[in-house]
Amino acid sequence: YTLRNNLQLGEDLSLLQDIPSQTIIYRDEIPLQPKPRLGGQSFLSDKSLKGRIKRFLRGNLFIPDSRISWRFFAPKTLKMIFKTHAIDLVMITAPPQTVHLIGHYIQKKYSVKVIHDFRDPWTKAFFLKEFKRSFLAERFDYYLEQKIVRSASGIISVSQ
């Protein structure tokens, strides 16, 4: 289960050939997602006033990330998935960190084991300093991260 419009700085469509043909992939599309920048340029490099305002709003209102609205759309799709398939283990891999919140919801709602894979740091990500986050935004994000870590059935990480 993933997003159709989860565009990052780049994508490698050749990896799709590694997925077995019988694999069922469910995709949701969430509204208000930014369009990819031309040339794969990061929004972090936009030093204009508009760019700085966008980063500030993103860092202080959209916690843990700009995909947070997915958390509110996911239950409908998840209900259909769990009704259709016998699932006893879910593996979550992020970013976007919002998917960890969806995994937490799955664990509570459907009483299945959830393994959380932290491919990148959550609250210690190098780019978060660019968002000029408030103390409250940082604390709330840290609270969410700790909630996930403490309730997970298992954790995979490449960093502390």
Side-chain angles (χ1 to χ4, degrees):
Y1 174 48
T2 188
L3 287 173
R4 178 172 288 107
N5 59 335
N6 186 32
L7 300 172
Q8 300 294 323
L9 291 177
E11 58 183 1
D12 184 353
L13 298 178
S14 70
L15 295 173
L16 290 174
Q17 69 190 8
D18 295 339
I19 300 173
S21 60
Q22 68 273 20
T23 302
I24 301 167
I25 301 173
Y26 293 93
R27 295 180 189 273
D28 265 343
E29 190 156 323
I30 55 175
L32 304 174
Q33 289 305 296
K35 302 285 185 249
R37 291 177 164 265
L38 293 176
Q41 217 179 9
S42 169
F43 73 101
L44 295 174
S45 62
D46 183 353
K47 302 301 181 194
S48 70
L49 178 60
K50 182 179 176 183
R52 292 193 318 263
I53 290 170
K54 281 181 173 179
R55 281 191 299 282
F56 177 83
L57 293 174
R58 157 44 186 100
N60 288 279
L61 297 180
F62 299 96
I63 299 170
D65 54 51
S66 62
R67 308 305 188 272
I68 188 60
S69 64
W70 185 18
R71 169 60 186 87
F72 304 103
F73 290 89
K76 181 179 176 186
T77 304
L78 291 169
K79 182 177 181 180
M80 184 271 303
I81 292 170
F82 275 86
K83 196 174 193 176
T84 307
H85 305 282
I87 298 171
D88 57 3
L89 176 75
V90 172
M91 180 163 173
I92 301 296
T93 185
Q97 307 306 349
T98 291
V99 77
H100 288 303
L101 302 180
I102 293 170
H104 183 74
Y105 168 83
I106 290 170
Q107 187 175 12
K108 298 299 180 200
K109 173 78 175 173
Y110 297 101
S111 300
V112 298
K113 292 184 178 185
V114 177
I115 309 287
H116 292 267
D117 174 23
F118 290 85
R119 284 182 280 137
D120 294 320
W122 181 337
T123 58
K124 301 293 184 203
F126 71 92
F127 58 83
L128 289 176
K129 68 181 181 311
E130 299 293 330
F131 293 129
K132 307 295 185 210
R133 301 172 92 199
S134 70
F135 174 79
L136 288 177
E138 286 180 351
R139 291 304 302 164
F140 182 59
D141 206 17
Y142 181 77
Y143 162 79
L144 292 174
E145 179 185 49
Q146 293 306 304
K147 179 178 174 179
I148 299 307
V149 168
R150 287 188 181 111
S151 67
S153 303
I155 297 283
I156 299 170
S157 179
V158 295
S159 62
Q160 292 181 359

